[in-house]
Structures are given as structure tokens and as C-alpha cells.
Amino acid sequence: MSEKTIMLGNEAIARGAYEAGVVVSSAYPGTPSTEISEYLAQYKDELYCEWAPNEKVAAEVAIGASISGVRAMASMKHVGLNVAADPLFTASYIGASGGLVFVVADDPGLYSSQNEQDTRSVGIAAKVPVIEPSDSSEAKEFMKIAFDISESYDTPVIFRTTTRLSHSQGVVNLEPRVVPEIKEYERNPAKNVMMPGNARLRHPYVEDKLSDLAEDASNMTYLNSVEINDTGIGIITSGIPYQYVKEALPNASVLKLGLVHPLPRKMIEDFAGRVDRLVIFEELDPVIEREVKSWGIDCEGKELFSMIGEYNAEMLRAVFGDETLIDQPEKAPVRPPILCPGCPHRAVYSVLNKLKIHGAGDIGCYTLGAVEPLNVIDSCICMGASISSLHGMEKARGSEYIKNWIAIIGDSTFLHTGINSLMNMVYNGGTGTVLILDNSTTAMTGHQDNPATGLTLMGEPTNEVNIKQLCESVGVKHVVEINSFETVELTRIFKEELNRDEVSVIIAKAPCVLLKGKPIKHQYLVNRELCKKCKICMKPGCPALTVDEDGTTMINDTMCNGCGLCFRSCPFDAIEMVDSIIEEI
């Protein structure tokens, strides 16, 4: 008996994996992929799922599970696939015993990422099939097909989604979970041990499997479908752009691809022969267009549409002359990114700003320290790069050059890849100061646990990594822990540690203000009689603070989370502590 319900794309992906009989799932949280694992955790009585410290580890966990004969998956965002690229490229040679799927979420439009990246291109380079759904229903169904293809063609499969699909809702038909019989493990070094002699023999096998899949793909009408309408225009598209085609050009003929690598050549050649004008509509790179043109098929693509950002129906209307048919939607006012009221990072950054310290930054909430009024973060490259980039500066310019620089990283990111960079710094005789902002969670992606929080994805208590001891274990002699809101002591510590001629680590600890269940004991208000309108309290940029018409500071009690940073910064005692009107977040 089936049941229909409405699901987010990420929830549908999790449901598809569940119904497909996935047994092991590993992931590192990264918007827009994070919710996949959180939704999968609701089935924890029937499968195992976990947060890994980074995407490479997640991929290797899934590969191991597949070798043992069960269906397995690893989930990540597009930049996380870069971290997992090493095991992925070799997994394509090993193949899959139990079905093996890498779910990768791209971010056209850069809603929450440091770059735009097209995972289809990675799939081509890694010689791995890429499947892409266009709505929640397909997200669930295509997951099951991805596992089937993985086992049938002895290959891992990349399941590509995008922000728009992951966070959009659609109707999904629920079906029972079916767990394939576990495949008996057979020792097979020629398949599973990729030393040169074995890998050399596996490469032709991989190419043959991809060729077989490309030939079969033209008959996979459940993945690739043709809609013949007005043959004046034929659109080839895939994923969420298909929805824009149907909205803007409902009468056009469409070839919708679910398998975007390898492409179904015969199906595309047949479609091209049936339409007068062939147009490729695909976000980011011209992946489909490039290959179709290589076959000698005349088509248009990136000369009509941008290689940058997220697409929409208006782009099609503009190109095909129908842009005047609808009113242009009102644009929402721009809201600059800012740290939350009560965020402990603001207290630390206010000290660094006052001391005019430069920050080699990393990925997380604390990256917002790059913007006004804090202006602390000078650089941000990728996960874990803060420490190693500071090390590079020191090796390039000397230890004196970095006396007013500090590497800034969060607790989750430190465990992701920052620890490797710290080891390198110590090992190679570097100097410099590392600031770990420990807010007891992976806050940016929605408060996921990590090896330092003491809880697993499935809610089980577990060993809690002691970050201070971890730093000491790799050879750091000077590790200081301090509460993030002790700004006076922080000032002293920063001055002392930044002048050391060896590696030191400062761990500024205070839980994320938005963690569920965190009590709000106090709030603050301004005594108008005492306020001198000096605006010192405004410098850290807390959004709960504003000024009225005469310049007196005001505190919005619906936003104040009671951190007390303004209270401690006022030199005239004009800010007073009061009982909270909010019991907890």
C-alpha cells in the first residue's frame, strides 16, 4: 500500500535511500545537503547513519560498507566532493559490490558556498555515472535507480542535486523499504586493491562499463524522457531547469535527462533530428552542450545563457521574446549577513578588532567576521585552510610578519581538516597563533553534532574529543582555554600569545546562542538617564541594538539573547541587567 505526502527534496532523497535498502550512510554537514542525513536518522532502527569528521572519511566509510556487500551512501555538498575526490576517483575503478551512491549538492547562485562548482564535470573526470532528478518525486525514485545502476554496472554513482531542488517541496509516493540480500564477501585483490598493476587492468573495464551504460541509457525512459510538442524549438535539459522550461515554454519539445553522464547519444541524435532549433538549457558549465557539439550536432547553449548563477524561467522568456507576458516579481530588500544577537564570536571579534589583528579565516558562521563592523577576517579559502594559509604566510615572510595575524577556525572545522594543518604547522617548525572558536556544535549548517560534542547523529552519547588535549597531543605546548565573553582576559591572552615564537592555540569557548534548550537568564535594557550616546556599545554590531531619534541606545528585547557584551562594554553603566522575558531558545 503506497501513501502520498509532501517532502523537501532532501527528505525525498533520504526516503529513496531508505526504500532502496541502504544499510550504511556517512556524511559531513554542508548546506544544501545537510538535511539528507538528518531525515535519514529517523530510520535509525533499520539502518546506520553518522556524521563523519569530513567528506573524505564519509566516502571511505561508504566504500568500505559497499565492499562488504551492503548498499551504502555518502552525502556532501559540492566543495565537500573536492575533499572526497581522492577516494572517489579510485572507487570508480573498484566499483561496487553493494550499491554505492555519492549524493552531492551543488549550489548555483552561491547561496551558502565559497564557489560555484559543477559536480557533473567531476563525475566525468572520475568516470562515474551522474544522475540528476528534477523534483522531489524523482529525487526519491531516482535514488532507487541509482543503487540499481551502481550494482548492475559495478560502479559508484553520483546523485547530483542543487539548492533549489534540495530545499523545494513536492508530492512523493511512499513505498515499502526493500533491502537486497547481502552479497557474500569474496577476497578479490584484483578488484579491491588498486596498486598500479591491478588499476591498469581495471581502467579498460571502467571504460567498457561506461560505454555499456551510455548505449543502454537511450532505452532508460524512466530516467531520460522525450516530450514532443511544437517541434520549432527543442530543449535538452536536466534537473531543476526542467521546471523552468515547462513554466516558460510549455509548448516546446523537451528531452529531459535524468542520466547526465554518460549521455544517451542515440536518444539525443533522434531528438535533434525531430526539432528545427535545438537549445541546451543547463546551469553552470556547458557539460551537455560540449558533448553534443562534439558529436557534430548543431545546437545553441551558453551563447544564450550565462555560465554563472542559478537559472529561472525569466531567462527563457527573455531569450525567446516572451518576457513581457508576466509582471516581473518584486525584489526582496537586501539583508546583509551578520552574526546572530548574543553570538559568542562577536565578543572575541570585538577584541581582535580593537587590537587591529588580521584573521586568516575558515568556513563557518565566524566567516561573517569579515564584514562591517567587525572587519577581522582577511581571507577564507576552504575548510581547514586558515591554519595552513597562516603557516604559508609565516614561511614566506617570516615570524615577525604574522605577529598581528591569527588563524581563526571553528570546532567542527578544526576536526574536519584543521587538525591536519595544525600538525603540519608544528611538524615543520612553524610559529603563529591559532584561535579555535568552540561553540559546541556545527552551527552554520544547523547545529549538527561532531566528534567534540559527545553525541552521534542517531542521538547516542559517545566519546567527546577534548580539543585542548588533541592540540597538545600533536605537539602544541601553549594551549589556553577561555570563555569567549571574558573580553578583558582575552585582550591579555591575545597580546601574550601573538608574541610567542612558536605555535600556540587559544580555544575561546561558549555555546552557540541558538542551541535548543539554552536558557536565557538575563536580558539588558538602557537607562536613558545615564546613556551618553557615545555608541561604544554599538561597535560590535549586535543587531539587537539600535539608536532612537536623539541618539540614545535602545535594546530590542525580542532579539536580545542576554550575552551581556554591551553591558560589559558600556563605560557609564548605562546598560542594566534585567530578568529575561525569554525562557529559552
Side-chain angles (χ1 to χ4, degrees):
M1 179 70 73
S2 63
E3 174 189 352
K4 287 187 176 180
T5 189
I6 295 176
M7 284 185 168
L8 276 179
N10 279 347
E11 185 178 9
I13 291 169
R15 179 70 192 189
Y18 166 77
E19 292 182 5
V22 72
V23 174
V24 173
S25 167
S26 190
Y28 184 80
T31 305
S33 69
T34 306
E35 299 90 350
I36 297 168
S37 292
E38 294 177 325
Y39 282 118
L40 201 60
Q42 68 182 306
Y43 308 115
K44 64 181 182 180
D45 292 339
E46 299 173 80
L47 52 81
Y48 173 79
C49 54
E50 66 173 24
W51 292 128
N54 65 42
E55 296 82 358
K56 178 176 180 289
V57 172
E60 290 159 353
V61 169
I63 293 167
S66 171
I67 289 174
S68 77
V70 304
R71 290 188 164 185
M73 62 186 280
S75 303
M76 61 203 73
K77 66 181 298 182
H78 62 288
V79 290
L81 186 60
N82 301 334
V83 182
D86 200 0
L88 169 69
F89 275 63
T90 301
S92 74
Y93 278 39
I94 291 174
S97 178
L100 177 60
V101 175
F102 291 76
V103 181
V104 185
D106 285 0
D107 188 20
L110 288 163
Y111 292 101
S112 59
S113 308
Q114 62 269 43
N115 63 48
E116 283 185 319
Q117 179 180 313
D118 196 322
T119 288
R120 297 176 301 170
S121 298
V122 181
I124 292 170
K127 302 186 181 302
V128 174
V130 181
I131 288 178
E132 183 176 20
S134 65
D135 57 28
S136 293
S137 176
E138 285 188 353
K140 196 211 76 167
E141 295 303 323
F142 284 11
M143 273 297 284
K144 295 194 283 189
I145 294 169
F147 280 105
D148 290 342
I149 286 178
S150 174
E151 291 174 352
S152 299
Y153 293 87
D154 190 16
T155 177
V157 172
I158 289 177
F159 190 90
R160 184 202 189 214
T161 179
T162 61
T163 303
R164 189 65 54 180
L165 174 64
S166 289
H167 294 163
S168 296
Q169 291 185 319
V171 176
V172 172
N173 190 32
L174 303 184
E175 294 169 293
R177 171 175 167 87
V178 178
V179 182
E181 187 175 341
I182 296 176
K183 295 178 180 175
E184 284 299 319
Y185 173 74
E186 294 183 9
R187 187 171 185 275
N188 188 352
K191 183 176 190 296
N192 294 327
V193 181
M194 284 304 101
M195 52 189 180
N198 292 338
R200 204 172 291 125
L201 296 174
R202 288 293 292 184
H203 191 178
Y205 176 82
V206 171
E207 299 290 352
D208 288 345
K209 286 295 181 183
L210 276 177
S211 296
D212 292 345
L213 181 55
E215 190 168 332
D216 296 345
S218 292
N219 297 319
M220 293 179 176
T221 52
Y222 44 88
L223 276 177
N224 307 312
S225 59
V226 175
E227 303 168 17
I228 296 298
N229 296 304
D230 180 354
T231 56
I233 297 175
I235 308 286
I236 297 179
T237 189
S238 66
I240 205 74
Y242 168 76
Q243 306 297 343
Y244 309 142
V245 171
K246 296 305 293 179
E247 179 183 340
L249 300 170
N251 297 321
S253 293
V254 181
L255 169 52
K256 180 170 76 68
L257 298 172
L259 183 67
V260 294
H261 175 67
L263 291 175
R265 179 167 179 170
K266 183 176 184 307
M267 179 180 270
I268 290 174
E269 289 174 338
D270 290 345
F271 181 75
R274 298 177 69 178
V275 299
D276 299 330
R277 181 184 180 187
L278 184 64
V279 175
I280 313 291
F281 190 62
E282 55 184 331
E283 290 176 328
L284 300 180
D285 296 345
V287 174
I288 300 171
E289 178 188 346
R290 192 181 295 128
E291 188 159 358
V292 169
K293 283 182 174 175
S294 75
W295 299 335
I297 297 175
D298 186 29
C299 65
E300 300 165 84
K302 290 303 175 186
E303 65 266 52
L304 303 176
F305 308 106
S306 172
M307 289 180 62
I308 300 168
E310 188 179 34
Y311 282 7
N312 54 53
E314 279 65 42
M315 295 175 72
L316 284 162
R317 291 190 178 99
V319 167
F320 293 99
D322 290 333
E323 67 275 23
T324 59
L325 292 179
I326 64 168
D327 295 331
Q328 294 299 316
E330 293 287 337
K331 289 189 176 179
V334 176
R335 190 183 66 171
I338 192 168
L339 294 169
C340 301
C343 176
H345 303 337
R346 178 177 287 104
V348 180
Y349 283 168
S350 66
V351 176
L352 291 172
N353 175 280
K354 194 172 181 179
L355 295 174
K356 301 188 185 308
I357 303 298
H358 297 277
D362 223 295
I363 305 295
C365 300
Y366 44 90
T367 313
L368 297 174
V371 300
E372 296 281 356
L374 298 167
N375 297 321
V376 170
I377 299 292
D378 285 53
S379 63
C380 177
I381 304 167
C382 64
M383 298 283 277
S386 57
I387 301 172
S388 35
S389 61
L390 181 68
H391 178 66
M393 292 179 195
E394 190 257 354
K395 292 302 180 187
R397 303 292 297 272
S399 58
E400 287 302 313
Y401 179 81
I402 61 164
K403 291 298 186 190
N404 65 340
W405 279 81
I406 191 166
I408 302 172
I409 191 168
D411 52 335
S412 184
T413 311
F414 178 70
L415 297 172
H416 179 277
T417 36
I419 180 64
N420 307 72
S421 302
L422 184 63
M423 281 190 287
N424 179 64
M425 201 175 191
V426 175
Y427 171 65
N428 287 299
T431 67
T433 304
V434 175
L435 170 62
I436 300 175
L437 297 171
D438 182 356
N439 62 1
S440 306
T441 188
T442 313
M444 188 68 145
T445 48
H447 300 122
Q448 288 73 39
D449 285 296
N450 63 57
T453 66
L455 284 174
T456 70
L457 171 59
M458 296 195 292
E460 301 293 333
T462 187
N463 179 60
E464 184 177 325
V465 171
N466 185 310
I467 293 178
K468 181 175 185 290
Q469 292 177 1
L470 180 60
C471 294
E472 291 169 340
S473 73
V474 302
V476 182
K477 297 175 183 173
H478 303 278
V479 185
V480 182
E481 286 184 312
I482 184 171
N483 185 298
S484 300
F485 291 104
E486 293 181 15
T487 53
V488 175
E489 182 65 3
L490 265 173
T491 302
R492 185 194 67 77
I493 289 173
F494 281 140
K495 289 179 178 177
E496 184 172 308
E497 297 304 318
L498 283 161
N499 278 312
R500 288 192 188 280
D501 284 323
E502 55 187 315
V503 177
S504 68
V505 174
I506 302 167
I507 305 172
K509 302 180 70 169
C512 173
V513 71
L514 297 183
L515 277 177
K516 288 181 179 177
K518 185 177 182 296
I520 304 295
K521 296 179 180 177
H522 305 291
Q523 288 184 301
Y524 297 87
L525 58 76
V526 177
N527 184 326
R528 296 183 63 87
E529 301 299 322
L530 297 179
C531 180
K532 305 299 184 186
K533 306 171 187 175
C534 64
K535 297 185 176 56
I536 290 176
C537 59
M538 304 290 291
K539 287 187 176 179
C542 177
L545 272 62
T546 57
V547 294
D548 68 8
E549 292 180 351
D550 72 355
T552 304
T553 297
M554 298 190 301
I555 299 177
N556 184 335
D557 59 9
T558 63
M559 297 179 69
C560 175
N561 289 318
C563 72
L565 181 61
C566 58
F567 171 74
R568 287 187 287 275
S569 66
C570 179
F572 306 107
D573 296 326
I575 297 178
E576 299 174 352
M577 181 189 296
V578 297
D579 291 338
S580 174
I581 64 167
I582 306 171
E583 292 184 355
E584 63 180 44
I585 298 294

